[in-house]
Amino acid sequence: MRVVFFTPYYKQNRGNSTTAKRLEHGLSEKVDLSIFSYEETSVHATLFDWMEKADLYHILHFSRFVQWADKNKITLDKPYIVTSGGTDLNHSLKEDEERYLPLLRKAKAITVFTQQAKQLLVKEYELSDQSIHVIPQSIYLPITDHTIGGFTLPEGYPKLLLPAGIRPVKDVLFALRSLIRLSTDFSKLRFLIVGAILDEEEFERVKKAENKYEWLHYLPEVELSEMKKLYEWGDVVLNTSISEGQPTALLEAMSFRKPVIARENVGNASIIQHGMNGLLFQSQEELYHSIKKVITDRDTYKQLSEHGYQTIKEDHTLKKEIDSYMELYKDE
């Protein structure tokens, strides 16, 4: 079977590229898969050759795809599957459903990461229940011997890691007030934000904070294969996003037995059972107490770590994810 996989990003290390690389790794063993990163690559003759020979198209992030296809006059003449990561569903569709719904209505199948996302499409937009499939994300971190170029990870305790692209929806400085307070209790606290610069204004805020607080560090995006070193470094992994689809960084952290503390939103709550395999917070006060509890109570630390790891083993394996996509491919 020949499949053309459309992803907005592949080279830049962000959520969509992580998903694309993971699915490429799993699906390439089973189908003839051609990847086209439409936000990073100019339209070329090879793309049209791939499309002509394809049995199926697979589209990641429908709103970005529709904008790109309209601009480049790309038409879909084969069956296609759409995978929604979250931002397109939570923001773009609400803003301009007339523009995006036609693509979804004509899709042979739509896949989402959570049951809540499926219910939103069925109830709010009256899409067919049978056409929407929930396929949770899994973990894929390629192994490498490379070292992180030119960067020494700071020593201290507790070491808090926040992997996220620098843009307003990720709200990476939400934790600042909680951590300022925490730093008075823990003089060797270290807070590391890692991610691509996707918004210059937000990045300026991060740099200003980094210059002001000696315990705050920023690291530009690293290769997916280098994330393992960062998860091994951190004691706790944070997520402060205002909204999420289903954050792979939390899943990756749990696979390394690292406790996760995340802002309460639909995507984070689809992974975390509060108090069982992680902690959810709504306010800066709750975040402060959550971090303090995890780093001072070894029983809590161990429970969250072990239950988080079990969550990955039971619900988020790569085999289960790829098998689910292959069932849809074969149906088409």
Side-chain angles (χ1 to χ4, degrees):
M1 179 181 283
R2 290 181 172 179
V3 179
V4 179
F5 189 95
F6 292 94
T7 176
Y9 300 101
Y10 185 86
K11 297 169 191 171
Q12 193 173 51
N13 189 16
R14 47 199 290 175
N16 288 310
S17 61
T18 300
T19 301
K21 288 173 185 175
R22 183 180 70 251
L23 295 184
E24 178 189 33
H25 173 72
L27 292 169
S28 290
E29 298 175 359
K30 300 175 182 295
V31 299
D32 182 349
L33 192 73
S34 300
I35 303 269
F36 185 77
S37 56
Y38 53 86
E39 295 281 18
E40 299 172 327
T41 312
S42 299
V43 173
H44 50 69
T46 306
L47 171 63
F48 295 113
D49 184 52
W50 287 347
M51 292 179 71
E52 186 180 336
K53 293 175 180 175
D55 300 299
L56 179 75
Y57 305 142
H58 190 160
I59 297 161
L60 180 61
H61 203 298
F62 62 78
S63 63
R64 285 187 180 276
F65 179 83
V66 167
Q67 292 166 32
W68 168 80
D70 287 350
K71 182 181 176 183
N72 291 278
K73 297 180 170 57
I74 301 294
T75 56
L76 302 177
D77 56 354
K78 303 282 175 69
Y80 61 89
I81 290 171
V82 175
T83 294
S84 170
T87 307
D88 48 359
L89 183 59
N90 295 328
H91 296 282
S92 304
L93 192 55
K94 290 178 181 177
E95 291 165 5
D96 195 351
E97 62 181 87
E98 285 186 16
R99 185 174 190 184
Y100 304 120
L101 273 180
L103 181 83
L104 297 177
R105 287 201 178 106
K106 293 175 187 173
K108 292 293 184 184
I110 301 165
T111 76
V112 291
F113 300 143
T114 69
Q115 195 65 42
Q116 292 95 324
K118 176 175 179 172
Q119 291 307 309
L120 178 67
L121 286 172
V122 172
K123 291 179 179 177
E124 295 290 324
Y125 301 102
E126 299 180 349
L127 293 171
S128 165
D129 184 88
Q130 284 74 35
S131 70
I132 305 168
H133 305 264
V134 178
I135 304 180
Q137 295 192 97
S138 67
I139 306 298
Y140 171 61
L141 287 174
I143 298 168
T144 181
D145 293 328
H146 298 160
T147 56
I148 296 174
F151 187 85
T152 304
L153 293 170
E155 289 303 314
Y157 185 82
K159 299 185 290 291
L160 307 173
L161 175 66
L162 198 164
I166 308 303
R167 54 186 174 131
V169 72
K170 298 298 181 182
D171 203 10
V172 295
L173 294 180
F174 179 87
L176 208 53
R177 191 182 298 174
S178 306
L179 296 179
I180 291 168
R181 187 174 166 191
L182 203 66
S183 67
T184 63
D185 303 323
F186 297 89
S187 60
K188 294 185 178 179
L189 174 143
R190 297 292 178 264
F191 177 43
L192 177 61
I193 301 169
V194 182
I197 302 165
L198 306 177
D199 182 279
E200 285 296 336
E201 255 183 63
E202 196 72 5
F203 176 62
E204 284 305 313
R205 292 179 63 230
V206 171
K207 289 303 292 180
K208 190 175 178 182
E210 184 182 31
N211 292 334
K212 186 173 182 179
Y213 304 105
E214 62 178 1
W215 41 262
L216 193 158
H217 305 268
Y218 168 73
L219 179 63
E221 63 176 314
V222 302
E223 291 293 325
L224 186 61
S225 57
E226 293 177 328
M227 287 301 297
K228 177 176 184 286
K229 299 184 184 74
L230 294 173
Y231 291 122
E232 289 174 341
W233 169 86
D235 297 304
V236 178
V237 175
L238 304 179
N239 179 300
T240 55
S241 294
I242 295 166
S243 73
E244 281 282 7
Q246 188 175 72
T248 50
L250 291 185
L251 297 173
E252 290 164 358
M254 292 160 104
S255 77
F256 282 91
R257 289 187 166 91
K258 299 295 177 168
V260 296
I261 301 175
R263 194 172 187 165
E264 188 165 354
N265 58 49
V266 171
N268 289 340
S270 76
I271 297 170
I272 296 174
Q273 296 168 278
H274 180 69
M276 181 61 70
N277 61 356
L279 296 176
L280 295 168
F281 65 86
Q282 292 180 318
S283 66
Q284 289 160 334
E285 180 78 10
E286 286 178 0
L287 175 57
Y288 166 77
H289 288 293
S290 294
I291 296 171
K292 191 163 186 180
K293 181 173 179 61
V294 169
I295 61 179
T296 57
D297 185 336
R298 292 307 300 175
D299 289 339
T300 296
Y301 190 99
K302 187 174 180 182
Q303 178 199 309
L304 298 180
S305 301
E306 288 304 316
H307 287 173
Y309 182 74
Q310 287 307 313
T311 296
I312 301 305
K313 289 298 178 188
E314 291 168 15
D315 302 325
H316 297 276
T317 65
L318 184 60
K319 183 182 185 306
K320 186 181 286 190
E321 183 181 30
I322 296 303
D323 286 350
S324 298
Y325 280 111
M326 283 307 301
E327 282 181 30
L328 294 182
Y329 281 14
K330 287 170 184 174
D331 282 348
E332 306 313 320

